[in-house]
């Protein structure tokens, strides 16, 4: 059974940190471009980060300008997981964060989704 499950969302004060995780089962993350996207109420979905697949020639990680320098995405191929370390959080980071696996990265956006999760809520507020 294919599953892609996020965890780690919480309520945090501005300036705080959170670490989100995404666990995959039924498929191998390394074969895909993987990343995170977020959606806040009343706003369009935004690609947060994208990591190229293992077979990609560049093997790069891309970030949206809004999170560059504050967020770090990583994959653990042995555990088949994807993580997002979020530091210096701002109220505007409040959103539902979801992970996706697809064909390739187009900047910070995973293009051509094959699998995606249901999301975890991150709320940044004092």
């Amino acid at each position: 059974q294919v599953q892609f499950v996020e965890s780690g969302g919480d309520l945090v004060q501005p300036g705080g940190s959170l670490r989100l995780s995404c666990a995959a089962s039924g498929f191998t993350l390394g074969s895909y471009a993987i990343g995170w996207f977020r959606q806040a109420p009343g706003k369009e979905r935004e690609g947060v980060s994208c990591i190229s697949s293992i077979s990609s020639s560049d093997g790069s990680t891309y970030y949206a300008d809004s999170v560059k320098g504050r967020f770090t995405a990583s994959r653990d191929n042995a555990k088949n997981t994807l993580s997002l370390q979020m530091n210096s959080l701002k109220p505007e980071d409040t959103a539902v964060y979801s992970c996706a696996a697809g064909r390739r990265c187009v900047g910070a956006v995973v293009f051509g989704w094959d699998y995606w999760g249901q999301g975890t809520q991150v709320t940044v507020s004092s």
Side-chain angles (χ1 to χ4, degrees):
Q1 183 181 2
V2 173
Q3 284 190 312
F4 210 8
V5 180
E6 301 92 342
S7 62
D10 206 345
L11 170 64
V12 63
Q13 292 188 345
S17 298
L18 275 179
R19 185 175 182 86
L20 305 183
S21 294
C22 200
S25 58
F27 67 101
T28 302
L29 279 180
S31 300
Y32 297 88
I34 55 176
W36 295 88
F37 63 96
R38 66 186 181 185
Q39 189 159 22
K43 294 187 177 181
E44 290 189 357
R45 187 173 59 213
E46 177 187 20
V48 174
S49 70
C50 187
I51 305 176
S52 300
S53 68
I54 293 176
S55 61
S56 172
S57 58
D58 62 4
S60 297
T61 301
Y62 303 91
Y63 297 94
D65 287 342
S66 57
V67 306
K68 203 171 292 182
R70 299 188 297 122
F71 290 11
T72 303
S74 60
R75 73 160 90 212
D76 186 326
N77 294 322
K79 296 181 179 179
N80 214 30
T81 58
L82 168 68
S83 297
L84 184 68
Q85 177 65 42
M86 305 187 296
N87 299 327
S88 302
L89 283 162
K90 305 175 181 179
E92 51 264 43
D93 294 319
T94 296
V96 175
Y97 285 72
S98 303
C99 46
R103 307 303 172 89
R104 58 188 175 94
C105 296
V106 179
V109 177
V110 176
F111 179 79
W113 292 2
D114 289 294
Y115 307 106
W116 57 94
Q118 295 302 307
T120 185
Q121 177 69 47
V122 172
T123 302
V124 185
S125 175
S126 55

